[in-house]
Amino acid sequence: MNIESNQILGKWTEYTLSNDLGMRVSVLDFGGIITKIMVPDRNGNIENVVLGYRNYQDYQTNPNYFGALIGRVAGRIQGASFNLNDKTYTLAKNNGDNHLHGGPDGLHQIVWDVSPFQTDEEVGLTLTHRSADRDSGYPGNVEIKVTYTLTNHNQLILDYAAKSDQTTPLTLTNHAYFNLSGNLKTTIHDHHVTIDSSRFVELDPNLIPTGKLLDVEGTTFDFRGGRVLGNGFNNNFEQNKIADSGYDHYFIFDHAEAYQATLQDPVSGRVMLVTTNEPGVVMYTSNGLADGLPLAEGTSRKYLGVCFETQASPASLHHDGFPTVILNAGEPYQKQTVFTFRLEN
């Protein structure tokens, strides 16, 4: 187990966590951004399985949120406003008339305080930040702690903890784009996904939840038995068409299986298992990723990565029947998501 740190652009620090099996995870204090996850394929080749910029200065704007911590509220908030306890709160608009991923000054844009730690079996980073009352329009002073832990079982554990002095919306996530081919050798068309979910959230043409939950049965959104992502990269189903011929939808977990989601690449043999105590996940298949951005191992293009944004649903601010994002004053917020990397048998 090992931790290394390097100065980046004279203003940030990148930490690299290494375990005894050769897995490495690199994280910036800026935005809590995961810049690289290095894991072996079936032939022992250790390669990067997340998208990241070639030039670190591109993380300053990072419109694609590569690898970043997202909050206070992950996802879109309709109309950039919400009502809470008979009061209306107005947020920054950064996605048309809507508020996306905590706004332009969200948690992806701050430099976190970082404390590394190490034991015989794990190595990690504790990131802390105090988000002040009315940051980006949200009520409450919120103390936030996010812990990245790398184990000797090739697990990357993300623990999210927070407490607010006022009742406020809060749902945190990480926005890493995964591509298990390694070093971006291919798109994710042939990546095989399972999701333990029988219901997903219907979106309108602006990617805002309509308030309806749809049954996955008989659709390209039924991942309960597993399917390749390319099945949904089309306009044959209206909800795929709305998401620019892909997926950008919230799936509510049934929590009936050991893993809430799995991702497999048949060529490399890499498998990623996702376990979480979150109520659901936004799966985003980089449908809006522009061509030609200089990435660490090539150039960007559509369908180059898939995000598993484990979280509650911001639709709960405007509709009943969705997993709530409301954190009551003084109540502890404790969420965990674990990404376990293995090889196919």
Side-chain angles (χ1 to χ4, degrees), residues 266-286:
V267 177
S268 71
R270 294 185 180 95
V271 179
M272 185 179 79
L273 310 170
V274 183
T275 52
T276 184
N277 61 357
E278 291 280 16
V281 64
V282 173
M283 183 175 72
Y284 172 55
T285 48
S286 55

Side-chain angles (χ1 to χ4, degrees), residues 147 149 151 153-160 172-174 178 194-196 253-263 271-281 308-311 334-342:
T147 306
T149 305
T151 75
H153 302 287
N154 280 5
Q155 291 181 315
L156 176 60
I157 304 170
L158 277 63
D159 285 296
Y160 303 89
L172 309 175
T173 197
N174 181 276
F178 296 97
T194 63
I195 304 176
D196 178 21
F253 293 134
D254 295 338
H255 281 289
E257 305 292 339
Y259 303 105
Q260 281 65 65
T262 66
L263 180 67
V271 179
M272 185 179 79
L273 310 170
V274 183
T275 52
T276 184
N277 61 357
E278 291 280 16
V281 64
F308 292 95
E309 303 163 55
T310 55
Q311 60 177 96
Q334 291 183 309
K335 302 295 182 181
Q336 183 183 79
T337 297
V338 181
F339 299 104
T340 303
F341 294 88
R342 293 183 182 171

Side-chain angles (χ1 to χ4, degrees), residues 6-293:
N6 291 294
Q7 289 299 114
I8 303 293
L9 304 177
K11 57 182 176 178
W12 302 333
T13 302
E14 183 181 49
Y15 299 85
T16 297
L17 311 175
S18 305
N19 71 8
D20 295 338
L21 301 177
M23 181 173 168
R24 301 194 303 277
V25 179
S26 297
V27 178
L28 282 177
D29 58 357
F30 176 71
I33 293 168
I34 296 173
T35 57
K36 284 187 172 66
I37 299 179
M38 309 291 291
V39 292
D41 68 5
R42 61 160 55 95
N43 298 314
N45 299 310
I46 296 177
E47 297 170 314
N48 186 21
V49 295
V50 293
L51 276 62
Y53 290 111
R54 183 180 309 159
N55 305 311
Y56 278 82
Q57 60 263 32
D58 290 340
Y59 285 113
Q60 186 75 61
T61 51
N62 197 12
N64 298 290
Y65 302 92
F66 287 144
L69 290 176
I70 303 295
R72 289 188 190 183
V73 171
R76 292 174 176 84
I77 295 180
Q78 180 180 350
S81 68
F82 62 92
N83 294 314
L84 182 62
N85 296 332
D86 299 321
K87 187 172 182 179
T88 298
Y89 293 89
T90 302
L91 308 174
K93 294 180 179 180
N94 64 325
N95 183 244
D97 288 331
N98 307 304
H99 176 85
L100 175 65
H101 290 334
D105 301 314
L107 300 180
H108 65 290
Q109 282 291 306
I110 61 147
V111 176
W112 294 73
D113 293 323
V114 180
S115 298
F117 62 88
Q118 184 171 351
T119 70
D120 290 342
E121 286 300 316
E122 60 188 33
V123 63
L125 305 169
T126 300
L127 287 70
T128 55
H129 175 67
R130 182 181 183 272
S131 180
D133 182 32
R134 296 309 176 95
D135 268 1
S136 299
Y138 292 97
N141 297 292
V142 184
E143 302 289 343
I144 302 172
K145 180 171 76 170
V146 180
T147 306
Y148 289 96
T149 305
L150 175 62
T151 75
N152 267 332
H153 302 287
N154 280 5
Q155 291 181 315
L156 176 60
I157 304 170
L158 277 63
D159 285 296
Y160 303 89
K163 189 171 283 190
S164 175
D165 61 2
Q166 296 181 46
T167 297
T168 190
L170 188 78
T171 186
L172 309 175
T173 197
N174 181 276
H175 209 284
Y177 291 66
F178 296 97
N179 182 323
L180 300 187
S181 70
N183 292 351
L184 306 183
K185 283 194 283 295
T186 65
T187 62
I188 54 169
H189 281 74
D190 294 327
H191 277 42
H192 187 272
V193 169
T194 63
I195 304 176
D196 178 21
S197 172
S198 55
R199 295 177 302 160
F200 71 101
V201 173
E202 182 183 61
L203 299 179
D204 72 13
N206 294 316
L207 302 176
I208 296 297
T210 65
K212 291 175 66 176
L213 293 173
L214 301 181
D215 195 317
V216 302
E217 185 72 37
T219 75
T220 49
F221 286 72
D222 190 352
F223 288 92
R224 292 171 297 181
R227 67 190 314 131
V228 295
L229 286 172
N231 287 168
F233 295 168
N234 57 60
N235 293 332
N236 297 333
F237 185 59
E238 184 65 20
Q239 284 296 301
N240 289 126
K241 180 180 179 180
I242 280 172
D244 199 14
S245 305
Y247 299 93
D248 194 4
H249 293 72
Y250 186 73
F251 293 79
I252 295 179
F253 293 134
D254 295 338
H255 281 289
E257 305 292 339
Y259 303 105
Q260 281 65 65
T262 66
L263 180 67
Q264 294 175 271
D265 173 48
V267 177
S268 71
R270 294 185 180 95
V271 179
M272 185 179 79
L273 310 170
V274 183
T275 52
T276 184
N277 61 357
E278 291 280 16
V281 64
V282 173
M283 183 175 72
Y284 172 55
T285 48
S286 55
N287 327 306
L289 183 58
D291 289 346
L293 300 176

